[in-house]
Structure formats: structure tokens, C-alpha cells
Amino acid sequence: MKITIVAGARPNFIKIAPIIKAIEKKQKEGLNVSYRLVHTGQHYDKNLSDTFFEELNIPKPNSNLEVKSGSQAEQTGAIMIAFEKELLQNPCDLVLVVGDVNSTMACAIVAKKQNIKVAHVEAGIRSGDMTMPEEINRIVTDSITDYFFTTSETASENLLKYGVEKDNIHFVGNVMIDTLYQNLDRIFAPVFWIEFGLEAGNYIVLTLHRPSNVDEEQSLIQLLEGIDKMAGNKKVIFPIHPRTKAILGETDLALKNIVFVEPQGYLNFMYLIKNSFAVITDSGGISEETTVLGIPCFTMRNNTERPETETIGTNTLVGTSVENLKEIFDEFLKKEKRTAGIPELWDGKASERIIDILLDKN
């Protein structure tokens, strides 16, 4: 069985790492399975792509499509054109896509038009927010997928509502958590740890990248100023995305607590998360990692495609206003840390289940 695995952006790299390990384990057991790794180049900043391959021991990609940035349409179209050539030159039995970035949707479409089966890892998650490009990517990808691998029963139920055959839906757990467990003993402090006087539990981690939070300069500045004031005497470590940095430009911000740092590699970033007092983010994936690590997480969105991080885990949706964030954060400070758990099958073995199922069906 020949599998082409697609990775395009930071979250993809974290998700494919344990899948590759699971395939290599089967190869050592003598099973007839191989993979070809295609990096679309959707994220091309070294700290957002190459570093993850190095740190997570992912083999060098067999092909890099080097698509880089552009509008939604430009990037999606460029990926499709390049990936079509890739598949014609390197036929396979199955294309495996992960997550919900442009590469996920684009490569799924190209594969299906060449009559190649598609497996979608993290299928079925829905935010219900059609203004999110990722939501469009999820719906389109799931409309043409053959094998649906879900992280939760909620995601599986979403697919059933869309009319997907039950036999094609496989609740396997969360591959991001596989990667977390596989690397917890390898994480280490970033170079600025001592410089900024960081200690476990004495700082907050901030990440912002969604257009609703960062695209308008003045509202972004107001958001940062509000978080800075809210933090009290705790430093706020903000690994700033290149796009967000460009929006702020040369603006002189009088911030007392927020510290801007470069995007971090996986091992440094997980160290920061694991040892933080709390996390403020607009990322869905980070709320999964904080749930497993038991770190309070405040998500600056009005919805989440990962409801289990709220109902079971440590995540709280706070909307997009800094006033609402401050109110909820202040309440959190007054209360004891809430009891939280880890969702079903988030046990570090999701990738092995995926490969077992694919081998059983092919």
C-alpha cells in the first residue's frame, strides 16, 4: 500500500509525525506499506515549518511544492496545480490529509479527481462559523473523503448528520496528543527563559493569528493593551506570527508585561505551555494541548470546533472582546482551579489505530 502524506502548515507537521512513526513501525513488522511525504510549502518561515521537521524527527519531504503565500484562491490554486503534477509523477493508493488548512482541501480535491482514495485525519470537526476559511476547508474535504478519522464522538456525530456512512467513520483519538506524549520528555526551555526571569507558573502564554483578532491594527493594539493591563504582575510571552508582526509594523507600544518573541519550535513552545500559569489564544489546537497538560486556557473566539476542550478539558471560550476576557479571567483568579479531564482515546495511540484501519481495509 502506497500512501502520500500531505503537510502544509505548522499544525500539519505536528499531526503527521506520529502517523509516519506508526507506518515505520508496521514496515519493521514486515507489512507492505510505504509513504511519500509531500510538503506543500504553505508555511515557509523556517520557524513555522522546517524546525518542526527537525525537532519531531520527521524525514525530509520527498517533495516540496514551494507554494508559499497568496490570497486564499491563489494559494489553493497553486497547491492544486503543483500537487496534480506530483501525483501524476508519483502514483499512490491513498492520499492522507490532516487538519483543515488550504493544503488539506486542495490536495483532497486533486486526489479524488485522479480517482485516488482520500483519508482525512481530524475529520468531522465543525465550528459552525462559515466566515472561517478553515470551516470551508473542512466541509469540502469531508464531502469527498473515503476514510474519516475523528478525534471525538462529537465529530463522528457531525459526519453522520452530513450523511456519511457509519462504516466509513472511525473514532481513533487525537494525533496531536500522540505527538505531545511522544515528546514530553524532550521539551526544553527557550533561550530567553533566564533573560526574562521566567519560572513555572509565573507567566502567561499568548498566541493570536486569526483575522478577526489581528487584521485591524487599532483593534489589535487595544486588545494587546487590555491583556497587558489584565496580566497584573505576570509577564505575557507572545510568540508573534510574522503576519501579525507586519500588521503592527513600527508601532511603538507602551506595554509593561507583554514580551514579543519569535515563533517558537515545537519543543520550546510546549515547554512554555506546560509551565505557564495560563494560556490566552485564538487557536483550536492549543486548547487540545492545554487540556492534556491541565493548563487553564482562554480562547478568544465566539465558537470552537473542539467542544470537548470546554466540556471536559481546561478551555473557556471568552469571545473576541478584551472586556469579556478580563471579566472571565478575573473570575478565574477568584475561584479554585476547576476540575478537568482528558477526552476519550486521547491516549497517544491514535496514529497506530489509523494505520491499522487503513491496512485492514486495503
Side-chain angles (χ1 to χ4, degrees), residues 1 9 23 29 40 53 58 73 76 98 111 149 194 198 217-219 228 238 260 268 301-303 310 315 339 341 354:
M1 182 184 186
I23 292 173
E29 294 172 4
T40 66
F53 281 90
I58 302 170
T76 301
V98 297
F149 296 108
I194 295 173
L198 302 182
E217 183 183 1
Q218 284 308 309
S219 62
D228 188 71
F238 184 15
F260 295 90
N268 283 159
R301 290 170 54 187
N302 295 314
N303 49 61
E310 262 206 302
N315 186 30
T339 303
I354 289 168

Side-chain angles (χ1 to χ4, degrees), residues 72 100-102 105 133-142:
Q72 292 281 333
D100 51 22
V101 299
N102 289 340
M105 177 186 71
E134 296 93 338
E135 187 78 349
I136 309 299
N137 293 342
R138 294 169 194 140
I139 292 170
V140 173
T141 303
D142 283 341

Side-chain angles (χ1 to χ4, degrees), residues 289-349:
E289 292 155 337
T290 53
T291 282
V292 170
L293 294 172
I295 301 298
C297 181
F298 300 88
T299 298
M300 298 207 66
R301 290 170 54 187
N302 295 314
N303 49 61
T304 178
E305 61 281 353
R306 295 165 171 89
E308 62 276 9
T309 63
E310 262 206 302
T311 56
I312 300 170
T314 60
N315 186 30
T316 303
L317 281 181
V318 298
T320 57
S321 78
V322 72
E323 293 79 14
N324 205 40
L325 169 64
K326 183 180 185 306
E327 183 180 333
I328 293 171
F329 192 79
D330 286 346
E331 280 297 309
F332 158 72
L333 293 176
K334 294 173 187 174
K335 296 177 181 177
E336 290 185 13
K337 191 175 178 180
R338 81 176 195 184
T339 303
I342 298 175
E344 184 183 0
L345 294 187
W346 290 22
D347 57 3
K349 299 176 182 176

Side-chain angles (χ1 to χ4, degrees), residues 170-335:
H170 308 281
F171 171 35
V172 293
N174 193 327
V175 292
M176 279 188 76
I177 305 308
D178 292 9
T179 296
L180 180 61
Y181 283 138
Q182 289 172 8
N183 290 280
L184 267 180
D185 61 349
R186 299 178 62 236
I187 62 176
F188 61 98
V191 292
F192 53 75
W193 181 267
I194 295 173
E195 178 189 349
F196 297 150
L198 302 182
E199 295 176 356
N202 80 338
Y203 63 92
I204 296 166
V205 174
L206 171 66
T207 79
L208 297 170
H209 74 282
R210 294 198 178 275
S212 58
N213 287 325
V214 305
D215 268 12
E216 208 285 305
E217 183 183 1
Q218 284 308 309
S219 62
L220 174 59
I221 290 170
Q222 289 173 7
L223 179 57
L224 292 176
E225 288 175 344
I227 292 172
D228 188 71
K229 186 176 180 181
M230 182 194 81
N233 61 354
K234 287 184 169 56
K235 279 194 169 60
V236 179
I237 305 302
F238 184 15
I240 187 165
H241 192 284
R243 185 165 162 273
T244 308
K245 190 174 183 179
I247 290 167
L248 285 174
E250 300 300 317
T251 306
D252 186 20
L253 299 173
L255 301 174
K256 182 181 73 171
N257 295 304
I258 294 179
V259 180
F260 295 90
V261 298
E262 291 296 312
Q264 298 297 295
Y266 181 80
L267 300 178
N268 283 159
F269 188 66
M270 282 301 107
Y271 188 94
L272 285 171
I273 296 291
K274 184 177 185 295
N275 290 285
S276 66
F277 175 74
V279 172
I280 300 170
T281 185
D282 57 11
S283 163
I286 289 174
S287 69
E288 294 177 321
E289 292 155 337
T290 53
T291 282
V292 170
L293 294 172
I295 301 298
C297 181
F298 300 88
T299 298
M300 298 207 66
R301 290 170 54 187
N302 295 314
N303 49 61
T304 178
E305 61 281 353
R306 295 165 171 89
E308 62 276 9
T309 63
E310 262 206 302
T311 56
I312 300 170
T314 60
N315 186 30
T316 303
L317 281 181
V318 298
T320 57
S321 78
V322 72
E323 293 79 14
N324 205 40
L325 169 64
K326 183 180 185 306
E327 183 180 333
I328 293 171
F329 192 79
D330 286 346
E331 280 297 309
F332 158 72
L333 293 176
K334 294 173 187 174
K335 296 177 181 177

